[in-house]
Protein backbone atom coordinates (compact mmCIF):
# COMPACT_ATOMS: atom_id res chain seq x y z
CA UNK A 1 0.00 0.00 0.00
CA UNK A 2 1.06 3.62 -0.48
CA UNK A 3 1.88 5.66 2.63
CA UNK A 4 3.36 9.08 3.47
CA UNK A 5 6.32 8.27 5.72
CA UNK A 6 8.36 10.65 7.89
CA UNK A 7 12.10 10.07 7.80
CA UNK A 8 13.32 13.45 9.09
CA UNK A 9 13.05 17.20 8.65
CA UNK A 10 11.76 18.05 5.17
CA UNK A 11 11.92 14.33 4.37
CA UNK A 12 8.44 12.84 3.95
CA UNK A 13 8.25 10.14 1.27
CA UNK A 14 5.19 8.65 -0.40
CA UNK A 15 6.25 5.03 -0.85
CA UNK A 16 5.06 1.45 -0.90
CA UNK A 17 4.80 -0.11 2.54
CA UNK A 18 3.61 -3.48 3.74
CA UNK A 19 0.51 -3.53 5.93
CA UNK A 20 1.23 -4.05 9.62
CA UNK A 21 0.10 -7.31 11.18
CA UNK A 22 -3.26 -6.94 12.92
CA UNK A 23 -2.88 -7.64 16.64
CA UNK A 24 -5.43 -8.81 19.19
CA UNK A 25 -7.66 -5.93 20.26
CA UNK A 26 -6.92 -3.89 17.13
CA UNK A 27 -9.12 -2.66 14.31
CA UNK A 28 -7.87 -2.32 10.73
CA UNK A 29 -9.29 0.85 9.17
CA UNK A 30 -9.41 1.48 5.43
CA UNK A 31 -8.80 5.23 5.45
CA UNK A 32 -11.03 7.44 3.32
CA UNK A 33 -9.98 10.99 4.27
CA UNK A 34 -7.19 12.35 6.44
CA UNK A 35 -6.38 15.92 7.44
CA UNK A 36 -2.96 17.56 7.58
CA UNK A 37 -2.49 18.84 11.12
CA UNK A 38 -0.28 21.65 12.34
CA UNK A 39 1.55 18.97 14.32
CA UNK A 40 2.31 17.12 11.07
CA UNK A 41 3.61 20.38 9.64
CA UNK A 42 5.80 20.97 12.72
CA UNK A 43 7.25 17.47 12.33
CA UNK A 44 7.90 18.14 8.64
CA UNK A 45 9.60 21.48 9.24
CA UNK A 46 11.20 21.08 12.67
CA UNK A 47 10.87 17.46 13.82
CA UNK A 48 11.34 15.24 15.58
CA UNK A 49 9.05 16.77 18.20
CA UNK A 50 6.73 13.90 19.14
CA UNK A 51 8.22 11.21 16.87
CA UNK A 52 10.66 8.83 18.54
CA UNK A 53 13.84 8.25 16.53
CA UNK A 54 16.14 6.33 18.86
CA UNK A 55 13.86 3.91 20.74
CA UNK A 56 10.27 2.64 20.47
CA UNK A 57 7.49 5.00 21.53
CA UNK A 58 6.62 4.04 25.15
CA UNK A 59 2.87 3.86 24.45
CA UNK A 60 2.57 2.65 20.85
CA UNK A 61 5.94 1.10 20.14
CA UNK A 62 6.70 2.85 16.87
CA UNK A 63 9.74 4.84 15.86
CA UNK A 64 10.96 6.61 12.74
CA UNK A 65 10.44 6.05 9.90
CA UNK A 66 6.73 6.35 10.71
CA UNK A 67 3.60 6.94 8.63
CA UNK A 68 2.12 10.32 9.57
CA UNK A 69 -1.56 11.26 9.89
CA UNK A 70 -3.70 11.40 13.02
CA UNK A 71 -6.86 13.14 11.76
CA UNK A 72 -8.66 10.46 9.80
CA UNK A 73 -11.87 8.57 9.18
CA UNK A 74 -12.68 5.47 7.18
CA UNK A 75 -14.31 2.05 7.14
CA UNK A 76 -13.50 -1.01 9.22
CA UNK A 77 -11.73 -3.54 6.99
CA UNK A 78 -10.97 -6.22 9.58
CA UNK A 79 -11.04 -6.73 13.34
CA UNK A 80 -8.54 -8.58 15.52
CA UNK A 81 -9.30 -11.18 18.15
CA UNK A 82 -11.32 -9.97 21.16
CA UNK A 83 -12.75 -6.95 19.29
CA UNK A 84 -16.47 -6.81 20.05
CA UNK A 85 -17.75 -3.32 19.28
CA UNK A 86 -16.98 -3.16 15.55
CA UNK A 87 -17.48 -5.19 12.39
CA UNK A 88 -16.28 -5.00 8.80
CA UNK A 89 -18.05 -2.16 6.99
CA UNK A 90 -18.61 0.13 9.99
CA UNK A 91 -17.90 3.79 9.25
CA UNK A 92 -15.54 5.07 11.93
CA UNK A 93 -13.31 7.91 13.10
CA UNK A 94 -10.14 7.38 15.10
CA UNK A 95 -9.23 9.14 18.33
CA UNK A 96 -5.43 9.04 17.93
CA UNK A 97 -4.51 9.84 21.53
CA UNK A 98 -3.22 7.00 23.68
CA UNK A 99 -2.59 7.49 27.40
CA UNK A 100 -2.46 5.43 30.58
CA UNK A 101 -5.69 3.46 30.68
CA UNK A 102 -5.42 1.47 33.91
CA UNK A 103 -8.39 3.46 35.23
CA UNK A 104 -10.62 4.21 32.25
CA UNK A 105 -12.82 6.58 34.23
CA UNK A 106 -9.85 8.74 35.20
CA UNK A 107 -7.77 9.05 32.03
CA UNK A 108 -5.43 12.02 32.16
CA UNK A 109 -3.22 12.83 29.18
CA UNK A 110 -0.74 14.52 31.46
CA UNK A 111 0.14 11.18 33.02
CA UNK A 112 1.81 10.51 29.66
CA UNK A 113 0.47 10.25 26.12
CA UNK A 114 1.23 9.56 22.49
CA UNK A 115 -0.59 9.75 19.17
CA UNK A 116 -1.33 7.29 16.40
CA UNK A 117 0.45 8.81 13.41
CA UNK A 118 3.38 9.95 15.55
CA UNK A 119 4.08 7.12 17.99
CA UNK A 120 2.88 4.51 15.48
CA UNK A 121 1.86 4.36 11.83
CA UNK A 122 -1.10 6.62 11.11
CA UNK A 123 -3.71 7.62 8.60
CA UNK A 124 -1.72 8.82 5.59
CA UNK A 125 -1.97 5.28 4.21
CA UNK A 126 -4.58 3.04 2.67
CA UNK A 127 -4.87 0.98 5.84
CA UNK A 128 -3.85 1.48 9.45
CA UNK A 129 -4.33 -0.54 12.64
CA UNK A 130 -5.49 1.10 15.87
CA UNK A 131 -6.58 -0.11 19.33
CA UNK A 132 -10.32 -0.82 19.56
CA UNK A 133 -10.77 1.71 22.37
CA UNK A 134 -9.57 4.48 20.03
CA UNK A 135 -12.24 3.80 17.40
CA UNK A 136 -15.60 5.59 17.39
CA UNK A 137 -18.58 4.98 15.13
CA UNK A 138 -19.59 7.79 12.77
CA UNK A 139 -23.30 8.65 12.72
CA UNK A 140 -25.02 8.54 9.33
CA UNK A 141 -25.36 12.34 9.32
CA UNK A 142 -21.58 12.87 9.64
CA UNK A 143 -19.71 12.53 6.36
CA UNK A 144 -16.27 10.95 6.03
CA UNK A 145 -14.81 14.41 5.39
CA UNK A 146 -16.40 15.71 8.59
CA UNK A 147 -15.07 12.60 10.31
CA UNK A 148 -11.55 13.66 9.37
CA UNK A 149 -12.26 16.98 11.10
CA UNK A 150 -13.42 15.47 14.42
CA UNK A 151 -9.92 15.31 15.92
CA UNK A 152 -8.89 18.96 15.35
CA UNK A 153 -12.39 20.10 16.30
CA UNK A 154 -12.09 18.17 19.57
CA UNK A 155 -8.89 20.12 20.28
CA UNK A 156 -10.89 23.34 19.92
CA UNK A 157 -13.80 22.07 22.01
CA UNK A 158 -11.39 21.05 24.79
CA UNK A 159 -9.75 24.49 24.61
CA UNK A 160 -13.13 26.14 25.14
CA UNK A 161 -13.69 23.89 28.16
CA UNK A 162 -10.24 24.67 29.59
CA UNK A 163 -10.96 28.38 29.23
CA UNK A 164 -14.34 27.89 30.95
CA UNK A 165 -16.06 30.04 28.35
CA UNK A 166 -19.55 30.96 29.51
CA UNK A 167 -22.57 32.09 27.53
CA UNK A 168 -22.10 35.79 26.71
CA UNK A 169 -18.34 35.85 27.33
CA UNK A 170 -15.95 37.71 25.04
CA UNK A 171 -12.99 35.85 23.54
CA UNK A 172 -9.92 36.63 21.48
CA UNK A 173 -8.18 34.08 19.26
CA UNK A 174 -4.61 34.69 18.13
CA UNK A 175 -3.91 32.70 14.98
CA UNK A 176 -6.41 31.86 12.25
CA UNK A 177 -4.93 28.56 11.16
CA UNK A 178 -7.06 25.39 11.28
CA UNK A 179 -7.21 25.11 15.09
CA UNK A 180 -7.79 28.84 15.46
CA UNK A 181 -10.65 28.71 12.97
CA UNK A 182 -12.19 25.69 14.66
CA UNK A 183 -11.88 27.53 17.99
CA UNK A 184 -14.02 30.26 16.39
CA UNK A 185 -16.63 27.62 15.54
CA UNK A 186 -16.49 26.16 19.06
CA UNK A 187 -16.61 29.57 20.76
CA UNK A 188 -19.66 30.52 18.72
CA UNK A 189 -21.36 27.24 19.65
CA UNK A 190 -20.52 27.90 23.33
CA UNK A 191 -22.34 31.24 23.20
CA UNK A 192 -19.49 33.77 23.07
CA UNK A 193 -20.94 37.23 22.45
CA UNK A 194 -17.85 38.74 20.81
CA UNK A 195 -15.14 36.76 19.03
CA UNK A 196 -12.00 38.68 18.06
CA UNK A 197 -9.57 36.94 15.69
CA UNK A 198 -6.05 38.25 15.16
CA UNK A 199 -3.80 37.17 12.30
CA UNK A 200 -1.53 38.57 9.58
CA UNK A 201 -3.30 36.87 6.65
CA UNK A 202 -6.25 38.74 5.10
CA UNK A 203 -7.47 35.48 3.57
CA UNK A 204 -7.50 33.65 6.88
CA UNK A 205 -9.17 36.59 8.59
CA UNK A 206 -11.89 36.55 5.93
CA UNK A 207 -12.39 32.84 6.59
CA UNK A 208 -12.64 33.56 10.34
CA UNK A 209 -15.32 36.14 9.64
CA UNK A 210 -17.26 33.62 7.56
CA UNK A 211 -17.10 31.10 10.40
CA UNK A 212 -18.49 33.46 13.04
CA UNK A 213 -15.83 35.92 14.21
CA UNK A 214 -17.45 39.23 15.11
CA UNK A 215 -14.21 41.22 14.76
CA UNK A 216 -11.09 40.43 12.73
CA UNK A 217 -7.80 42.29 13.23
CA UNK A 218 -4.75 42.28 11.00
CA UNK A 219 -2.00 42.78 13.56
CA UNK A 220 0.36 43.97 10.85
CA UNK A 221 -1.90 46.95 10.25
CA UNK A 222 -3.77 47.63 13.50
CA UNK A 223 -3.15 47.39 17.25
CA UNK A 224 -5.11 44.43 18.65
CA UNK A 225 -4.85 45.70 22.23
CA UNK A 226 -6.38 49.07 21.39
CA UNK A 227 -9.19 47.62 19.27
CA UNK A 228 -10.11 44.86 21.71
CA UNK A 229 -10.05 47.06 24.80
CA UNK A 230 -12.13 49.71 23.00
CA UNK A 231 -14.76 47.09 22.18
CA UNK A 232 -14.90 45.29 25.54
CA UNK A 233 -14.99 46.07 29.23
CA UNK A 234 -11.19 46.45 29.60
CA UNK A 235 -10.39 43.22 27.78
CA UNK A 236 -11.79 39.83 26.85
CA UNK A 237 -12.82 37.19 29.33
CA UNK A 238 -10.74 34.48 27.64
CA UNK A 239 -7.94 34.62 25.05
CA UNK A 240 -6.63 31.66 23.06
CA UNK A 241 -3.02 31.60 21.85
CA UNK A 242 -3.05 29.45 18.71
CA UNK A 243 -0.06 30.83 16.81
CA UNK A 244 2.88 29.51 18.83
CA UNK A 245 5.20 32.52 18.85
CA UNK A 246 6.30 34.91 21.61
CA UNK A 247 4.56 38.08 20.32
CA UNK A 248 1.12 36.45 20.23
CA UNK A 249 1.51 34.99 23.73
CA UNK A 250 2.32 38.45 25.08
CA UNK A 251 -0.55 40.03 23.13
CA UNK A 252 -2.95 37.34 24.40
CA UNK A 253 -2.22 38.42 27.97
CA UNK A 254 -2.38 42.12 27.10
CA UNK A 255 -5.91 41.86 25.67
CA UNK A 256 -7.30 39.82 28.58
CA UNK A 257 -9.09 41.57 31.43
CA UNK A 258 -7.89 41.33 35.01
CA UNK A 259 -8.43 37.82 36.37
CA UNK A 260 -9.35 36.61 32.91
CA UNK A 261 -7.83 33.50 31.36
CA UNK A 262 -5.35 32.83 28.57
CA UNK A 263 -5.30 29.31 27.08
CA UNK A 264 -2.24 28.17 25.15
CA UNK A 265 -3.46 25.81 22.43
CA UNK A 266 -0.53 25.96 20.02
CA UNK A 267 2.66 23.94 19.83
CA UNK A 268 5.77 26.07 20.21
CA UNK A 269 8.54 24.84 17.93
CA UNK A 270 11.22 26.68 19.92
CA UNK A 271 11.70 28.16 23.41
CA UNK A 272 10.62 31.78 23.78
CA UNK A 273 11.61 34.60 26.09
CA UNK A 274 8.75 35.91 28.19
CA UNK A 275 8.50 37.78 31.50
CA UNK A 276 6.05 36.23 33.99
CA UNK A 277 5.55 39.62 35.65
CA UNK A 278 3.15 40.26 32.80
CA UNK A 279 0.81 37.88 34.63
CA UNK A 280 1.66 39.09 38.12
CA UNK A 281 0.82 42.67 37.20
CA UNK A 282 -2.53 41.83 35.61
CA UNK A 283 -3.98 38.92 37.56
CA UNK A 284 -4.48 37.02 34.29
CA UNK A 285 -4.48 33.23 34.65
CA UNK A 286 -2.47 31.16 32.17
CA UNK A 287 -3.33 27.57 31.27
CA UNK A 288 -2.80 25.22 28.36
CA UNK A 289 -4.19 22.22 26.52
CA UNK A 290 -2.65 19.64 24.19
CA UNK A 291 -5.57 17.48 23.07
CA UNK A 292 -8.90 16.34 24.58
CA UNK A 293 -10.49 13.71 26.78
CA UNK A 294 -12.33 10.69 25.36
CA UNK A 295 -15.55 12.31 26.55
CA UNK A 296 -14.79 15.50 24.61
CA UNK A 297 -14.00 13.45 21.49
CA UNK A 298 -17.38 11.72 21.63
CA UNK A 299 -19.16 15.00 22.40
CA UNK A 300 -17.52 16.55 19.35
CA UNK A 301 -18.91 13.79 17.15
CA UNK A 302 -22.35 14.35 18.70
CA UNK A 303 -22.19 18.13 18.25
CA UNK A 304 -21.25 17.79 14.57
CA UNK A 305 -24.01 15.22 14.11
CA UNK A 306 -26.58 17.54 15.69
CA UNK A 307 -25.49 20.52 13.57
CA UNK A 308 -24.13 22.54 16.47
CA UNK A 309 -20.59 22.62 15.06
CA UNK A 310 -20.37 23.63 11.41
CA UNK A 311 -16.90 22.41 10.47
CA UNK A 312 -16.89 21.77 6.72
CA UNK A 313 -16.17 25.38 5.81
CA UNK A 314 -12.72 25.08 7.41
CA UNK A 315 -11.63 22.89 4.47
CA UNK A 316 -9.67 24.92 1.91
CA UNK A 317 -8.29 22.18 -0.36
CA UNK A 318 -8.56 18.47 -1.12
CA UNK A 319 -5.55 16.59 -2.53
CA UNK A 320 -4.37 13.09 -3.39
CA UNK A 321 -1.93 11.18 -1.17
CA UNK A 322 0.85 11.20 -3.78
CA UNK A 323 0.74 15.03 -3.79
CA UNK A 324 0.95 15.44 -0.01
CA UNK A 325 4.42 17.03 0.07
CA UNK A 326 4.10 19.62 -2.72
CA UNK A 327 0.35 20.29 -2.50
CA UNK A 328 0.05 19.66 1.23
CA UNK A 329 3.01 20.51 3.46
CA UNK A 330 4.70 22.97 1.11
CA UNK A 331 1.42 24.66 0.22
CA UNK A 332 0.62 25.17 3.91
CA UNK A 333 4.05 26.76 4.36
CA UNK A 334 3.83 29.06 1.36
CA UNK A 335 0.13 29.85 0.92
CA UNK A 336 -1.37 31.50 4.00
CA UNK A 337 -4.85 31.35 2.47
CA UNK A 338 -4.81 27.62 3.21
CA UNK A 339 -6.33 26.36 6.44
CA UNK A 340 -7.37 22.71 6.51
CA UNK A 341 -6.17 20.51 3.65
CA UNK A 342 -7.77 17.08 3.43
CA UNK A 343 -6.02 14.14 1.78
CA UNK A 344 -8.12 11.62 -0.14
CA UNK A 345 -6.67 8.18 0.46
Amino acid sequence: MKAAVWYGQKDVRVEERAQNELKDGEVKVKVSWAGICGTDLHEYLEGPIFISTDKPDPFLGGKAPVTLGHEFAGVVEEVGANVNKFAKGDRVVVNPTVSKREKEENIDLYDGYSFVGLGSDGGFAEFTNVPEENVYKLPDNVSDKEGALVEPTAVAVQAIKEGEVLFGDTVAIFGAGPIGLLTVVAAKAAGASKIFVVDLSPERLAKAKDLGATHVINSGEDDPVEIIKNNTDSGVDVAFEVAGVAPTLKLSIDVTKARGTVVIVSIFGHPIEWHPMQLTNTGVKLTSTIAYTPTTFQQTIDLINEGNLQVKDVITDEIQLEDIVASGFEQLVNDKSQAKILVKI
Side-chain angles (χ1 to χ4, degrees), residues 172 174 196 198 217-219 221-236 247-257 278:
F174 285 82
F196 300 86
V198 183
I217 304 165
N218 188 321
S219 54
E221 299 174 358
D222 298 299
D223 180 2
V225 178
E226 180 181 357
I227 292 174
I228 291 173
K229 293 210 168 178
N230 285 342
N231 285 276
T232 59
D233 183 14
S234 300
V236 295
T248 51
L249 174 60
K250 295 171 185 176
L251 282 170
S252 299
I253 299 169
D254 284 340
V255 304
T256 303
K257 72 179 186 180
Q278 190 184 9

Side-chain angles (χ1 to χ4, degrees), residues 12-298:
V12 172
R13 310 173 197 175
V14 179
E15 61 185 20
E16 288 290 334
R17 283 203 128 189
Q19 295 181 32
N20 293 329
E21 179 183 352
L22 187 64
K23 299 175 183 176
D24 290 358
E26 286 187 337
V27 175
K28 177 176 287 186
V29 177
K30 180 176 175 60
V31 183
S32 52
W33 290 91
I36 300 177
C37 177
T39 305
D40 297 321
L41 191 60
H42 276 291
E43 294 288 355
Y44 175 70
L45 294 173
E46 304 162 330
I49 298 172
F50 291 106
I51 294 173
S52 182
T53 58
D54 57 347
K55 58 185 178 181
D57 180 270
F59 289 89
L60 288 162
K63 69 174 185 176
V66 65
T67 301
L68 291 174
H70 59 271
E71 304 175 355
F72 61 98
V75 178
V76 174
E77 178 72 13
E78 185 182 352
V79 298
N82 303 315
V83 171
N84 302 310
K85 295 188 295 184
F86 300 97
K88 181 178 172 65
D90 287 345
R91 294 176 60 249
V92 295
V93 59
V94 171
N95 174 348
T97 58
V98 174
S99 59
K100 293 184 179 179
R101 292 179 177 270
E102 288 86 352
K103 295 181 178 180
E104 186 74 24
E105 75 280 1
N106 191 31
I107 295 171
D108 191 338
L109 286 178
Y110 302 107
D111 288 339
Y113 63 88
S114 188
F115 296 89
V116 173
L118 295 167
S120 66
D121 289 330
F124 291 149
E126 186 178 356
F127 297 98
T128 191
N129 302 337
V130 293
E132 179 185 23
E133 60 264 27
N134 290 78
V135 183
Y136 295 63
K137 287 185 178 179
L138 274 181
D140 292 340
N141 289 338
V142 180
S143 69
D144 287 355
K145 291 181 185 179
E146 290 172 311
L149 294 171
V150 169
E151 197 276 345
T153 306
V155 173
V157 172
Q158 190 69 45
I160 294 297
K161 290 185 175 185
E162 299 294 340
E164 299 182 350
V165 175
L166 300 175
F167 199 83
D169 277 355
T170 56
V171 304
I173 299 164
F174 285 82
I179 299 298
L181 293 173
L182 288 167
T183 305
V184 172
V185 173
K188 181 180 178 182
S193 60
K194 292 182 179 180
I195 303 172
F196 300 86
V197 177
V198 183
D199 200 282
L200 291 168
S201 166
E203 295 87 356
R204 286 185 170 184
L205 289 172
K207 176 67 74 173
K209 191 78 170 176
D210 291 342
L211 290 169
T214 57
H215 301 72
V216 294
I217 304 165
N218 188 321
S219 54
E221 299 174 358
D222 298 299
D223 180 2
V225 178
E226 180 181 357
I227 292 174
I228 291 173
K229 293 210 168 178
N230 285 342
N231 285 276
T232 59
D233 183 14
S234 300
V236 295
D237 296 292
V238 187
F240 297 90
E241 199 294 307
V242 204
V245 292
T248 51
L249 174 60
K250 295 171 185 176
L251 282 170
S252 299
I253 299 169
D254 284 340
V255 304
T256 303
K257 72 179 186 180
R259 296 184 178 84
T261 301
V262 172
V263 184
I264 297 175
V265 190
S266 56
I267 292 172
F268 284 74
H270 305 282
I272 64 169
E273 183 175 312
W274 166 75
H275 203 311
M277 285 300 294
Q278 190 184 9
L279 292 179
T280 306
N281 287 331
T282 62
V284 170
K285 299 182 288 289
L286 182 65
T287 188
S288 62
T289 180
I290 183 63
Y292 34 77
T293 64
T295 298
T296 295
F297 197 89
Q298 181 61 60

